[in-house]
Amino acid sequence: DGWRGAQRSGALALVLGQIGVRATLIDGGYKAFRNALRADLPAQAARLHYRVVCGPTGSGKTRLLHALAAAGAQVLDLEALASHRASVLGVIPGQPQPTQKHFEMRVWQALCAFDAARPVYVEAESKKVGNLTLPDSLIDAMRASACLRVELSEDERVALLLEDYPFFVSDPAFFCQRLDTLVALRGHAVVEGWKALVAAGQLDAVVRELLAQHYDPG
């Protein structure tokens, strides 16, 4: 299989070269590349210094990162790399998450591109972003770094979340589907109460209760 794979790779590289695409073959193939990537990830994570943006759900951490990136700062946007908003309700419609291997490659590529002389801004994350797991070396480096805490009033947090999750506003059925995933954590009666508020168009009230009863206690 290894020989056949090498033959296929060589043939593809030849065809790509003939149509003007520069292709490079890796000794040992994808497995060797994957092993080298995983071996290099800890060094890439450790060579940088981070400013970790912390704060409760809905405080605008992701917006701050986007503003910093627009201003020319170095930003590691883990949620964008994972195609997930990093909460049980964080599924983004129409954007499936990459595989774990692809996610790790995205993270490694981002880390390699950063200048170690300048800080890297990153949002505080738990071990998992949706179904994907952050590399241990990156988690350790982030937890050892300085934090910048962002705080907003409750009214501002509710308004921001309703803006940042427009698909819940426009698709109540999808909102209720995601709320069902919280039954094991919050109980059937509580979730049914939230779904009743969604059906009544009281999304503001649902978001307030989610913050008070689910996100902030967590």
Side-chain angles (χ1 to χ4, degrees), residues 167-180 195 198-199 203:
F167 39 85
F168 286 147
V169 177
S170 60
D171 190 350
F174 178 64
F175 194 1
C176 289
Q177 178 187 345
R178 297 309 303 164
L179 288 172
D180 279 332
K195 290 165 66 176
V198 171
L203 299 185

Side-chain angles (χ1 to χ4, degrees), residues 3-217:
W3 180 83
R4 288 176 181 158
Q7 290 293 100
R8 285 195 296 268
S9 298
L12 179 59
L14 178 62
V15 171
L16 290 173
Q18 289 176 340
I19 62 175
V21 178
R22 183 178 178 182
T24 302
L25 290 175
I26 300 173
D27 288 339
Y30 173 75
K31 185 177 290 187
F33 168 73
R34 169 80 178 152
N35 290 338
L37 183 155
R38 296 195 72 182
D40 190 49
L41 249 173
Q44 292 298 334
R47 76 181 181 88
L48 302 166
H49 60 288
Y50 304 87
R51 297 291 181 269
V52 183
V53 180
C54 306
T57 298
S59 57
K61 299 184 294 295
T62 300
R63 291 195 184 195
L64 175 58
L65 287 185
H66 292 170
L68 286 166
Q74 296 189 133
V75 171
L76 178 61
D77 192 340
L78 293 170
E79 293 182 0
L81 295 176
S83 296
H84 198 279
R85 295 300 302 273
S87 75
V88 73
L89 300 179
V91 171
I92 304 173
Q95 292 187 31
Q97 290 196 268
T99 63
Q100 180 67 32
K101 291 179 179 179
H102 190 191
F103 174 62
E104 289 176 6
M105 185 176 72
R106 287 180 173 183
V107 172
W108 175 76
Q109 287 177 317
L111 294 176
C112 288
F114 290 136
D115 177 1
R118 300 167 57 211
V120 174
Y121 293 88
V122 61
E123 183 174 340
E125 301 286 1
S126 61
K127 180 71 174 174
K128 300 198 74 174
V129 182
N131 294 321
L132 300 174
T133 303
L134 295 180
D136 287 336
S137 55
L138 179 58
I139 285 285
D140 291 342
M142 288 168 59
R143 288 178 177 170
S145 301
C147 290
L148 303 173
R149 182 168 178 84
V150 181
E151 294 187 1
L152 287 181
S153 70
E154 182 180 281
D155 286 346
E156 290 174 316
R157 292 170 67 197
V158 171
L160 187 149
L161 286 168
L162 289 173
E163 287 183 12
D164 280 358
Y165 291 81
F167 39 85
F168 286 147
V169 177
S170 60
D171 190 350
F174 178 64
F175 194 1
C176 289
Q177 178 187 345
R178 297 309 303 164
L179 288 172
D180 279 332
T181 65
L182 295 176
V183 168
L185 290 172
R186 301 300 163 201
H188 184 76
V190 170
V191 171
E192 286 303 312
W194 289 339
K195 290 165 66 176
L197 289 173
V198 171
Q202 298 182 37
L203 299 185
D204 183 291
V206 177
V207 172
R208 287 180 189 276
E209 291 197 17
L210 280 168
L211 291 177
Q213 299 181 38
H214 178 68
Y215 284 108
D216 289 354

